[in-house]
Amino acid sequence: MSTVIEDVKARKIFNSRGEATIEVEITTADGFGVASAPSGASKGKAEAIAYPPGGVDEAIRKVEELIAPELIGMNADDQEEIDNLLREVDGTKNFANIGGNTAYAVSLAAADAAANSYNMPLFQYLGGYFACQLPYPLGNVLGGGRHALGKAPDIQEFLVLPVGAPNFMAAAEANVRVHRKVRDILAKVDPYFTGGKGDEGAWAPTLTNEKALEVVVRACEEVSSEVGFECRVGLDVASSSLWDPEKQRYIYVNEGVERDSGEQLEYILSLISKYRLIYVEDPFHEEDFESFRELTSKVRGCLICGDDLFVTSEERLKVGIEKGAGNAIIIKVNQVGTLTDTWRTIRLAKENNYVPIVSHRSGETTSFHIAHIAVGLGCPIIKTGVVGGERIAKINELIYIEEILGEKAKMARLKI
Ligand code: 2PG
Ligand code: MG
């Protein structure tokens, strides 16, 4: 079984928002791999730059002219060497020259090709024989912010986490039920509701944040009693999108409210206790490690997760660990570019009791690699939406993984 790379191709395809993105194909002597990059709408400032100045076309040219000739002849299972090569060819810290999305597609296509050359599913290639824990799906059922238009809530995502699910199939089914129930309740409480959805398939009603929270909590409670296990509610506030650095305030446009940092902290604390939230992502803007620390020290039984705060960077996570900011981290491979960097950040998170949560982006392709990354690299939660072909692609892949693991399959251990 040889993983020697014989051919590399790059092409332009489209993501779920209809934006151009890059897909890379790698052929080895004994296998084949393919990966395509997602893209964000609410991006962190410290993320890798998605594309070089000339966009996807320039990225493709760079793969063909600079990266492919170097890759050919290398082994696809030399992941670290391939990722180092990507860093060398780029020469910047944030992939400004070749693009973080280009690095993502090459890095993952190499892993995919290596797994295929060994005739193994990707998660097993990444994690070994004992990688058999399924993640809990954290699903977006209602949303607004940068993922919707009009008078949708200012908070970006209202999420469900089926914490009591006995297996992945039951968890996925519970999320679908909550999503459907939210629609039924919205049809009654929002006179303007058209069934419209945001970028991730979450309903986008004309409601205030708290009204929306009430709907999702009610739907979760009803579904919990129907399925016989607990489903809890979480939020991605995506606060960097609300933060006005000049005014030093969070601007809730649709609600007509402004909050300074102290008021934001009080507001988040009140939502956590009133709605028994189990998960809050980016409650403060991306530079406010201090408020993250304060909130983390004040709550129990709730994950305080950094997305724009950490941008999957080992360096930024180190700062968070030193300060005690947060207890969970969003893992988006294209924020940092390569699989090796991602693995390092996940390892650091686990060593320091931060829950690593593998995540989709709002603009996704039908590529299902993050399902394998969650199982292979042992992440107990995957945030990947509930409906929509590009979201369901990941969910269905996990259903398949659960099936092929058979008796060995187990839900991950959630320490919250
Ligand atoms: C987020 C993501 C995904 P985006 O903020 O967590 O839900 O959104 O991809 O737009 O950054
Ligand atoms: Mg986020």
Side-chain angles (χ1 to χ4, degrees):
M1 278 180 269
S2 166
T3 69
V4 173
I5 297 175
E6 293 186 339
D7 195 18
V8 180
K9 278 203 184 95
R11 67 173 65 87
K12 176 152 82 176
I13 60 166
F14 295 97
N15 70 19
S16 55
R17 267 198 294 257
E19 300 157 337
T21 185
I22 186 168
E23 179 168 79
V24 171
E25 247 177 56
I26 291 184
T27 308
T28 65
D30 282 325
F32 168 82
V34 61
S36 51
S39 92
S42 60
K43 289 190 200 156
K45 279 201 205 92
E47 280 189 33
I49 305 293
Y51 289 108
V56 177
D57 293 325
E58 189 183 336
I60 291 169
R61 242 188 345 267
K62 290 201 160 154
V63 173
E64 285 165 352
E65 288 166 16
L66 304 175
I67 300 169
E70 298 289 329
L71 279 180
I72 291 170
M74 284 175 84
N75 282 301
D77 62 353
D78 271 343
Q79 189 70 49
E80 213 168 336
E81 237 173 271
I82 289 172
D83 292 343
N84 285 343
L85 169 80
L86 291 168
R87 290 230 166 260
E88 256 165 54
V89 171
D90 180 82
T92 69
K93 242 185 124 185
N94 58 355
F95 281 115
N97 279 330
I98 64 167
N101 275 7
T102 315
Y104 172 100
V106 172
S107 186
L108 269 174
D112 201 52
N116 185 259
S117 309
Y118 287 123
N119 217 347
M120 264 184 187
L122 180 61
F123 76 91
Q124 237 154 34
Y125 165 71
L126 294 174
Y129 178 82
F130 290 114
C132 54
Q133 298 202 348
L134 275 298
Y136 289 86
L138 177 63
N140 190 359
V141 292
L142 193 159
R146 291 221 177 134
H147 293 173
L149 293 174
K151 292 273 179 205
D154 297 300
I155 290 180
Q156 185 178 283
E157 298 166 32
F158 297 72
L159 303 143
V160 50
L161 187 65
V163 279
N167 53 54
F168 187 81
M169 180 53 124
E173 217 172 322
N175 281 7
V176 169
R177 276 176 180 250
V178 174
H179 188 268
R180 205 172 294 145
K181 197 161 292 258
V182 166
R183 179 198 59 187
D184 295 345
I185 302 173
L186 288 174
K188 291 185 195 131
V189 301
D190 175 7
Y192 301 106
F193 187 56
T194 62
K197 295 177 193 162
D199 284 359
E200 297 180 355
W203 306 113
T206 319
L207 290 184
T208 61
N209 296 312
E210 288 226 36
K211 282 265 165 340
L213 253 173
E214 279 163 22
V215 170
V216 177
V217 168
R218 192 175 133 199
C220 268
E221 281 170 0
E222 288 183 19
V223 168
S224 296
S225 56
E226 283 168 23
V227 296
F229 57 79
E230 204 182 18
C231 302
R232 295 273 295 276
V233 176
L235 294 176
D236 180 359
V237 186
S239 291
S240 300
S241 322
L242 305 176
W243 179 245
D244 182 331
E246 269 162 37
K247 285 190 171 174
Q248 293 281 301
R249 280 188 150 74
Y250 295 93
I251 317 288
Y252 290 75
V253 177
N254 286 345
E255 214 155 294
V257 176
E258 298 187 4
R259 296 184 172 94
D260 65 20
S261 297
E263 288 162 345
Q264 178 79 352
L265 176 68
E266 288 313 312
Y267 177 56
I268 300 294
L269 278 168
S270 73
L271 295 181
I272 291 174
S273 75
K274 191 162 166 204
Y275 299 100
R276 277 186 72 232
L277 301 182
I278 197 164
Y279 177 86
V280 180
E281 182 180 327
D282 283 352
F284 307 102
H285 72 85
E286 58 206 319
E287 298 305 338
D288 195 358
F289 281 88
E290 179 51 31
S291 296
F292 266 86
R293 182 203 61 74
E294 211 175 329
L295 178 65
T296 310
S297 72
K298 286 191 166 139
V299 296
R300 290 281 164 276
C302 180
L303 293 176
I304 305 299
C305 183
D307 172 13
D308 292 350
L309 181 77
F310 296 133
V311 292
T312 316
S313 141
E314 198 184 14
E315 235 173 82
R316 288 183 71 97
L317 178 60
K318 273 186 195 150
V319 176
I321 290 165
E322 270 164 34
K323 294 191 194 292
N327 51 27
I329 174 174
I330 283 286
I331 301 292
K332 292 170 173 164
V333 183
N334 79 328
Q335 281 182 330
V336 65
T338 73
L339 205 48
T340 305
D341 288 293
T342 304
W343 169 73
R344 286 207 184 102
T345 304
I346 292 174
R347 182 177 58 179
L348 181 69
K350 287 193 204 163
E351 284 166 358
N352 291 279
N353 293 320
Y354 275 63
V355 177
I357 298 166
V358 171
S359 169
H360 64 171
R361 305 296 314 239
S362 49
E364 266 294 335
T365 72
T366 47
S367 159
F368 47 62
H369 293 99
I370 60 168
H372 288 263
I373 291 173
V375 180
L377 302 188
C379 297
I381 301 179
I382 185 167
K383 185 186 180 211
T384 185
V386 182
V387 296
E390 72 284 2
R391 320 282 151 194
I392 281 292
K394 285 78 168 162
I395 297 289
N396 286 351
E397 190 68 7
L398 284 158
I399 291 173
Y400 166 70
I401 292 174
E402 183 165 64
E403 184 187 305
I404 56 176
L405 281 170
E407 293 277 289
K408 267 201 301 177
K410 233 178 117 181
M411 286 309 275
R413 215 151 61 84
L414 262 188
K415 288 179 251 161
I416 302 182

